[in-house]
Every structure is written in structure tokens, then in C-alpha cells.
């Protein structure tokens, strides 16, 4: 019986501790010294897959193209049409809950600009199993005027970093402009994303309206504000 080296981000059990021996995804917790010019082992995850939409090289095992948002795992462009920037471009078709189509909220005016305020739910600090409260509990305002906007645990490449909450995934969720309204989509996070207490399902895009509360991690939240 073979020993299991790690569980890769795609959920596969791998005997190889460095790369998943099912899909080739590198183990983010494993590092090994090798000749810098040697490249990855033969048959393993390539160092740079070109984006099929804009040609930008893929960064490691990142799911989305850093230039146009192309989804390498689903083999689908995030944005349709020839324009790759700006909120006027529609994203891929929405996946809505079984309860039926969700109409864009009428509260949005003609301007696509969105305001998000990040803060923490202090009422959860004393719950059993709660992590230590973050050092910074102040509110922070973000003005969103492009799509997509990446939310995740503090690190590089994020548009809205969440600090001090270990239950937030590194690439947790994204804010997208659909052409008719703003929405949010979970990116396969470990602990899920909730809007007004309702958990997003799969790749569903949930439309946002002013005063909606987006919950990520244990006590982190983003409040939607209109301008």
C-alpha cells in the first residue's frame, strides 16, 4: 500500500509529496532545491501555459489568467468578446440557484462603480473554536470600477486582501460585472462564501444589491454600498 504524500488543491490524494501524481498540481507546502535551469520534472505541471485568449503566460498553478481572467481549469474565457478590460464586458453565463432566475437588482443606477467596506463581525470573537481576533479591526473602503476583483487571504495578486482570518482561502472569491449588475462568485474556497447568510453553490454568480453583506472566513465580511 503506497503512502499518501499530500492532498492537492483539486482534491486528489498523491503519493508524490512535491507534485500531484493525478493532475500534476504542485504541492504549495513543499519546496526542494534543484537546478534553476532544469525546470519541472518531466510529465509534471508546466511552468507556463499560454492563455488561449490573450497569450499571457500562466503563473504557476493559478486558475485564472492574470491579464484577462481566462479560466485554465474550465478552459473558458471569463470575459466574452474582443474587449478584455472594463466592466462593460459580460462574463461567462451565470449559474443560478434551483429557485429560478435571479433578476439584477433595480437599485443599481447607470454607473457600474461599486463600493465595498471590509470589516469584522466582532460578535463571533468569543465563539467556541474562534481564531484570535485580527490586529486591525477597522473598516476599509474599496471602490470597484473594473472586473474581476479578487478577494483572498493576505498575499500578492489580490485586489481586496483579508487580514488576520485564517479561515479565508488565498483565492477565496471574486467580484464580477455581468453587463447588467455586480455579482460575486466563490472560487472553490475551503469554507465557502455567503451573501446575507446564504451560501453560494458551485460556480454560481450571486447578484449584489446595496446593503448586502458578504461573509468570508470566520468573522470577515464585506458590506455593499452604492455610490
Amino acid at each position: 500500500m503506497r503512502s499518501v504524500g499530500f492532498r492537492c488543491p483539486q482534491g486528489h490524494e498523491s503519493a508524490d509529496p512535491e507534485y500531484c501524481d493525478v493532475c500534476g498540481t504542485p504541492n504549495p507546502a513543499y519546496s526542494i532545491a534543484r537546478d534553476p535551469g532544469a525546470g519541472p520534472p518531466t510529465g509534471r505541471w508546466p511552468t507556463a501555459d499560454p492563455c488561449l485568449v490573450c497569450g499571457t503566460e500562466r503563473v504557476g498553478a493559478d486558475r485564472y489568467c492574470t491579464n484577462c481572467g481566462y479560466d485554465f481549469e474550465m478552459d473558458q474565457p471569463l470575459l466574452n468578446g474582443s474587449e478584455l478590460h472594463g466592466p462593460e464586458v459580460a462574463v461567462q453565463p451565470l449559474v443560478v440557484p434551483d429557485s429560478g432566475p435571479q433578476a439584477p437588482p433595480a437599485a443599481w443606477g447607470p454607473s457600474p462603480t461599486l463600493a465595498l467596506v471590509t470589516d469584522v463581525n466582532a460578535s463571533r470573537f468569543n465563539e467556541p473554536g474562534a481564531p484570535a481576533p485580527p490586529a486591525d479591526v477597522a473598516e476599509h473602503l474599496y471602490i470597484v470600477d473594473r472586473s474581476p476583483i479578487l478577494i483572498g487571504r493576505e498575499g500578492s495578486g489580490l485586489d481586496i486582501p483579508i487580514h488576520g482570518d485564517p479561515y479565508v482561502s488565498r483565492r477565496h472569491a471574486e467580484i464580477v460585472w455581468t453587463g447588467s449588475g455586480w455579482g460575486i462568485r466563490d472560487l472553490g474556497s475551503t469554507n465557502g462564501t455567503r451573501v446575507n447568510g446564504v451560501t453560494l453553490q458551485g460556480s454560481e454568480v450571486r447578484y449584489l444589491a446595496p446593503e448586502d453583506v458578504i461573509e468570508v472566513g470566520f468573522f470577515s465580511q464585506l458590506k455593499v454600498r452604492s455610490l
Side-chain angles (χ1 to χ4, degrees), residues 4-17 19-20 23 25-29:
V4 176
F6 77 108
R7 181 188 291 272
C8 85
Q10 309 303 321
H12 304 131
E13 298 289 353
S14 173
D16 189 325
Y19 288 84
C20 175
C23 67
T25 301
N27 182 356

Coordinates of all heavy atoms in Angstrom, one line a residue, residues 4-17 19-20 23 25-29:
V4 N 0.5 8.2 1.2 CA 0.0 9.4 0.6 C 0.8 10.6 1.0 O 1.0 10.9 2.2 CB -1.5 9.6 1.0 CG1 -2.0 10.9 0.4 CG2 -2.3 8.4 0.6
G5 N 1.3 11.3 0.0 CA 2.2 12.5 0.3 C 1.4 13.7 0.7 O 1.7 14.4 1.6
F6 N 0.3 14.0 0.0 CA -0.5 15.2 0.3 C -1.8 15.2 -0.5 O -1.9 14.3 -1.4 CB 0.3 16.5 0.0 CG 0.4 16.9 -1.5 CD1 -0.4 17.9 -2.0 CD2 1.2 16.2 -2.3 CE1 -0.3 18.3 -3.3 CE2 1.2 16.5 -3.7 CZ 0.5 17.6 -4.2
R7 N -2.7 16.0 -0.1 CA -4.0 16.2 -0.9 C -3.8 17.4 -1.7 O -3.7 18.5 -1.1 CB -5.2 16.2 0.0 CG -6.5 16.4 -0.7 CD -7.7 16.7 0.2 NE -8.0 15.5 1.0 CZ -8.8 14.6 0.7 NH1 -9.5 14.6 -0.5 NH2 -9.0 13.5 1.5
C8 N -3.9 17.4 -3.0 CA -3.7 18.5 -3.9 C -4.9 19.4 -3.8 O -6.0 19.0 -3.4 CB -3.4 18.1 -5.3 SG -4.8 17.8 -6.3
P9 N -4.8 20.7 -4.3 CA -6.0 21.6 -4.3 C -7.1 21.1 -5.1 O -8.3 21.6 -4.9 CB -5.4 22.9 -4.9 CG -3.9 22.8 -4.6 CD -3.6 21.4 -4.7
Q10 N -6.9 20.2 -6.0 CA -8.1 19.6 -6.7 C -8.7 18.5 -6.0 O -9.7 17.9 -6.5 CB -7.6 19.1 -8.1 CG -6.7 20.2 -8.9 CD -7.5 21.4 -9.1 OE1 -8.7 21.4 -9.3 NE2 -6.8 22.6 -8.9
G11 N -8.2 18.1 -4.8 CA -8.8 17.0 -4.0 C -8.3 15.6 -4.3 O -8.8 14.7 -3.7
H12 N -7.2 15.5 -5.1 CA -6.6 14.2 -5.3 C -5.6 13.8 -4.2 O -4.9 14.7 -3.7 CB -5.9 14.2 -6.7 CG -6.7 14.6 -7.8 ND1 -6.3 15.5 -8.8 CD2 -8.0 14.2 -8.2 CE1 -7.3 15.7 -9.7 NE2 -8.3 14.9 -9.3
E13 N -5.6 12.5 -3.8 CA -4.6 12.0 -2.9 C -3.3 11.6 -3.7 O -3.4 10.9 -4.7 CB -5.1 10.8 -2.2 CG -6.3 11.1 -1.3 CD -6.0 11.9 -0.1 OE1 -4.8 12.1 0.2 OE2 -6.9 12.3 0.6
S14 N -2.2 12.2 -3.4 CA -1.0 12.0 -4.1 C 0.1 11.3 -3.3 O 0.3 11.7 -2.1 CB -0.4 13.3 -4.7 OG 0.8 13.1 -5.3
A15 N 0.8 10.3 -3.8 CA 1.9 9.7 -3.1 C 3.2 10.5 -3.2 O 4.1 10.5 -2.4 CB 2.2 8.3 -3.6
D16 N 3.3 11.3 -4.3 CA 4.4 12.2 -4.5 C 4.2 13.4 -3.7 O 3.2 14.1 -3.8 CB 4.5 12.5 -6.0 CG 5.8 13.3 -6.4 OD1 6.2 14.1 -5.5 OD2 6.2 13.1 -7.5
P17 N 5.2 13.7 -2.8 CA 5.0 14.9 -1.9 C 5.2 16.2 -2.6 O 4.9 17.3 -2.0 CB 6.0 14.7 -0.8 CG 7.1 13.9 -1.5 CD 6.4 13.0 -2.5
Y19 N 4.5 17.0 -6.3 CA 3.5 17.2 -7.3 C 2.5 16.2 -7.2 O 2.7 15.0 -7.0 CB 4.2 17.2 -8.7 CG 5.0 18.4 -9.1 CD1 6.4 18.4 -8.7 CD2 4.5 19.5 -9.7 CE1 7.2 19.5 -9.0 CE2 5.3 20.6 -10.0 CZ 6.6 20.6 -9.7 OH 7.4 21.7 -10.0
C20 N 1.2 16.5 -7.5 CA 0.1 15.6 -7.5 C 0.4 14.6 -8.7 O 0.6 15.0 -9.8 CB -1.2 16.3 -7.7 SG -2.6 15.1 -7.9
C23 N -3.0 14.9 -11.3 CA -3.2 16.1 -12.2 C -1.9 16.9 -12.4 O -1.9 17.8 -13.2 CB -4.4 16.9 -11.7 SG -4.1 17.8 -10.2
T25 N -0.6 19.1 -10.2 CA -0.6 20.3 -9.4 C 0.5 20.3 -8.4 O 0.6 19.3 -7.7 CB -1.9 20.6 -8.7 OG1 -3.0 20.6 -9.7 CG2 -1.9 21.9 -8.0
P26 N 1.3 21.4 -8.3 CA 2.4 21.4 -7.3 C 1.9 21.5 -5.9 O 0.9 22.1 -5.6 CB 3.2 22.6 -7.7 CG 2.3 23.5 -8.4 CD 1.3 22.6 -9.1
N27 N 2.6 20.9 -4.9 CA 2.2 21.0 -3.5 C 2.7 22.3 -3.0 O 3.9 22.6 -3.0 CB 2.9 19.8 -2.7 CG 2.6 19.8 -1.3 OD1 1.9 20.7 -0.8 ND2 3.0 18.9 -0.5
P28 N 1.8 23.2 -2.6 CA 2.2 24.6 -2.2 C 3.1 24.5 -0.9 O 3.8 25.5 -0.6 CB 0.9 25.3 -2.0 CG -0.1 24.2 -1.7 CD 0.4 23.1 -2.6
A29 N 3.0 23.4 -0.1 CA 3.7 23.4 1.2 C 5.1 22.7 1.0 O 5.8 22.5 2.0 CB 2.9 22.6 2.2

